[in-house]
Amino acid sequence: MKHNLDKLSAIFNRYPQNRESLIAVLQDIQKEYHYLPEEALQATAKTLDVPLSKVFSVATFYNAFSHYPRGEKIIRICVGTTCHIRGAHLVQEQLENRLNIKAGSTTKDLKYTLETVNCVGACSQAPVVIVNNKYYGHVKVSDAKKLLRSK
Amino acid sequence: MVNLTINGRIVQAKEGEMLLTVLRREKIDVPALCHHEAVEPFGACRLCTVEITKEDWNGYSNYVTSCLYPVEEGLIVSTHSPKVNELRKTILDLFLARHPNSPEIRQLAADYGVFKTSYETVVDGNNCILCAICTRICDTMGFHAISTVGRGHGKEVAPPLHQVPPDCVGCLACALNCPTHYIEYTFDNNYLTIWDKKFELMVCSRCGKKTITKEFAEYLSKHRDIPFSYFEICDECHRKELAATMGQITSWEREA
Ligand code: FES
Ligand code: FES
């Protein structure tokens, strides 16, 4: 996949170009592209003068970094114990059917990524669904459409 | 100088030295799989664990990885006390569960009387014990071609992006220092392949023997100031040549 790498130089310019900036730069790349494109990792290694192997090591260490393209809208369904008991799997099924993908993947048009998470610490609101870091509590199966359309 | 007691014997060591270094010097055999002189101590395998105590510890003792423990005045060390052996046995038991097919692990475990793991065996396991000697040595060599990738259960040693490593020169330092011989490489005529990267080998211009990879020779001549032509002759022929030169010098001396 070809990317508009122009945005990279803006990211690099935000930080001193040395190895201390590695994680900050990777975070900004993740924010911009929703994942870490290969070319971006290569450019990062070059710009910060850090071996590519080290960049890859750090980038794969943290779960906050993704290595596959992710959707514009990231929907995370909590399937922790409480949410599970309160029907999270039904919500999951509904969302999977509507998007025609399984949890853990991204729609072809890169609009949605569906993921599951384990307990987000909001059990009193169970079942919980998080859309781009916005939390929705007491979710019902019939809310699926609303969730997909939410900003 | 620091005085310590190891297995009942008084031993002297240099300030700042690691315990394992002293044990090795005293020819005391303690297993150590993640230790290598060329790199900093790492403390990954835990096998070099020993028991330490001091006169004023009221009979209490502690268990430390000797590769990472600097010597101290008055330290009393036991390398094979029943408790240490028991600990090492458990570690080897765990190793055996993860790497049941590694001859090196099996041998070491057998030395401690562990022939079958008491844990559940990892079926799709491999022989990489994640000691990271390979990646650390690669860094020391100055190539940084491979690293550990991922973490936890999925952690592995791999080239960046899981692709052919651009910075690898085929020096073989990783494979030859791997304690479980996990890293594969093949020689095929004039080529060496490692990490899926194929390297042309230098051929001795005198005897035709294959030596190091061209990339490695180029690196050494560029960064270590050795003329490239040095690598066009193999070590043996260099030595033969040296003998011839020495003979020449002696005969000149005789004549003079
Ligand atoms: S189980 Fe979902 S928030 Fe705790
Ligand atoms: S050699 Fe000390 S922990 Fe491995």
Side-chain angles (χ1 to χ4, degrees):
Chain A
M1 200 189 312
K2 274 281 146 255
H3 284 280
N4 178 6
L5 291 176
D6 301 352
K7 291 178 190 153
L8 278 181
S9 53
I11 292 173
F12 293 144
N13 284 334
R14 277 176 217 156
Y15 305 96
Q17 303 200 340
N18 56 35
R19 62 184 302 144
E20 279 76 33
S21 307
L22 179 56
I23 290 180
V25 165
L26 292 180
Q27 279 175 324
D28 285 13
I29 296 172
Q30 169 82 32
K31 209 175 205 169
E32 183 66 49
Y33 299 96
H34 306 294
Y35 81 110
L36 303 177
E38 260 175 46
E39 313 89 25
L41 291 179
Q42 269 147 352
T44 304
K46 220 186 231 142
T47 313
L48 303 186
D49 195 22
V50 178
L52 183 59
S53 63
K54 288 284 169 302
V55 173
F56 194 53
S57 190
V58 171
T60 54
F61 184 83
Y62 296 102
N63 286 334
F65 297 130
S66 167
H67 294 268
Y68 299 99
R70 300 221 294 173
E72 275 158 45
K73 222 176 254 182
I74 295 167
I75 304 177
R76 288 143 74 208
I77 311 152
C78 179
V79 292
T81 312
T82 314
C83 290
H84 172 78
I85 291 170
R86 311 222 37 189
H89 57 289
L90 296 174
V91 178
Q92 180 180 343
E93 231 174 69
Q94 183 60 219
L95 286 167
E96 286 181 340
N97 287 344
R98 279 186 180 263
L99 293 174
N100 202 10
I101 53 169
K102 287 269 166 246
S105 49
T106 299
T107 55
K108 279 220 181 62
D109 60 3
L110 294 183
K111 285 252 176 336
Y112 297 98
T113 293
L114 206 55
E115 284 173 354
T116 58
V117 286
N118 291 314
C119 191
V120 292
C123 299
S124 63
Q125 306 288 309
V128 178
V129 171
I130 306 149
V131 183
N132 280 359
N133 292 327
K134 193 159 174 227
Y135 288 63
Y136 295 85
H138 304 300
V139 172
K140 294 186 286 300
V141 171
S142 56
D143 291 336
K145 207 163 163 190
K146 197 178 78 199
L147 288 171
L148 292 180
R149 264 199 257 122
S150 65
K151 277 272 163 313
Chain B
M1 275 296 170
V2 174
N3 297 298
L4 51 158
T5 313
I6 302 176
N7 297 343
R9 197 150 50 86
I10 293 180
V11 170
Q12 288 206 317
K14 274 191 256 88
E15 195 110 23
E17 255 184 332
M18 293 299 158
L19 209 41
L20 184 64
T21 314
V22 184
L23 297 178
R24 288 272 160 97
R25 192 167 54 231
E26 296 297 320
K27 307 256 182 306
I28 296 166
D29 189 26
V30 164
L33 284 181
C34 69
H35 180 78
H36 192 290
E37 294 73 19
V39 293
E40 294 282 302
F42 200 52
C45 76
R46 317 310 286 177
L47 283 172
C48 69
T49 298
V50 295
E51 183 172 359
I52 57 166
T53 184
K54 274 188 178 175
E55 207 69 76
D56 56 355
W57 283 15
N58 294 327
Y60 286 102
S61 61
N62 198 3
Y63 301 90
V64 297
T65 44
S66 59
C67 67
L68 278 171
Y69 202 87
V71 292
E72 276 170 41
E73 182 65 39
L75 207 61
I76 302 166
V77 184
S78 318
T79 61
H80 290 81
S81 66
K83 190 73 211 278
V84 172
N85 284 343
E86 202 50 47
L87 278 173
R88 237 175 253 149
K89 224 169 147 164
T90 307
I91 297 166
L92 285 164
D93 197 353
L94 287 161
F95 265 122
L96 204 55
R98 266 189 88 151
H99 316 287
N101 301 319
S102 160
E104 293 80 7
I105 295 295
R106 284 164 68 150
Q107 180 59 54
L108 210 50
D111 290 349
Y112 277 81
V114 185
F115 298 96
K116 219 179 142 256
T117 180
S118 56
Y119 300 93
E120 210 168 303
T121 304
V122 177
V123 206
D124 53 355
N126 59 35
N127 287 351
C128 174
I129 59 164
L130 293 172
C131 69
I133 286 181
C134 53
T135 64
R136 293 180 289 144
I137 274 200
C138 187
D139 288 344
T140 304
M141 297 292 292
F143 302 124
H144 313 284
I146 51 171
S147 66
T148 55
V149 170
R151 68 158 154 193
H153 268 300
K155 188 172 172 178
E156 58 177 336
V157 169
L161 307 170
H162 290 290
Q163 291 167 7
V164 172
D167 298 324
C168 178
V169 300
C171 78
L172 279 185
C174 55
L176 296 178
N177 287 296
C178 173
T180 53
H181 303 98
Y182 171 64
I183 300 171
E184 284 171 17
Y185 59 95
T186 49
F187 283 106
D188 173 24
N189 289 319
N190 287 351
Y191 295 94
L192 159 70
T193 306
I194 185 165
W195 298 112
D196 288 330
K197 195 170 179 180
K198 198 169 174 181
F199 297 94
E200 198 185 327
L201 293 165
M202 303 280 293
V203 176
C204 175
S205 59
R206 303 275 157 81
C207 70
K209 206 163 71 200
K210 279 142 222 159
T211 62
I212 59 176
T213 68
K214 214 160 140 199
E215 277 87 344
F216 193 19
E218 271 158 9
Y219 176 87
L220 289 171
S221 72
K222 189 160 158 220
H223 296 274
R224 294 288 181 268
D225 248 356
I226 306 170
F228 188 76
S229 59
Y230 181 87
F231 300 106
E232 288 168 334
I233 299 168
C234 76
D235 275 354
E236 250 173 64
C237 290
H238 268 302
R239 259 166 240 164
K240 279 185 197 153
E241 191 167 290
L242 183 67
T245 313
M246 291 308 280
Q248 186 77 75
I249 292 172
T250 326
S251 74
W252 284 339
E253 281 172 349
R254 226 181 279 128
E255 276 163 34

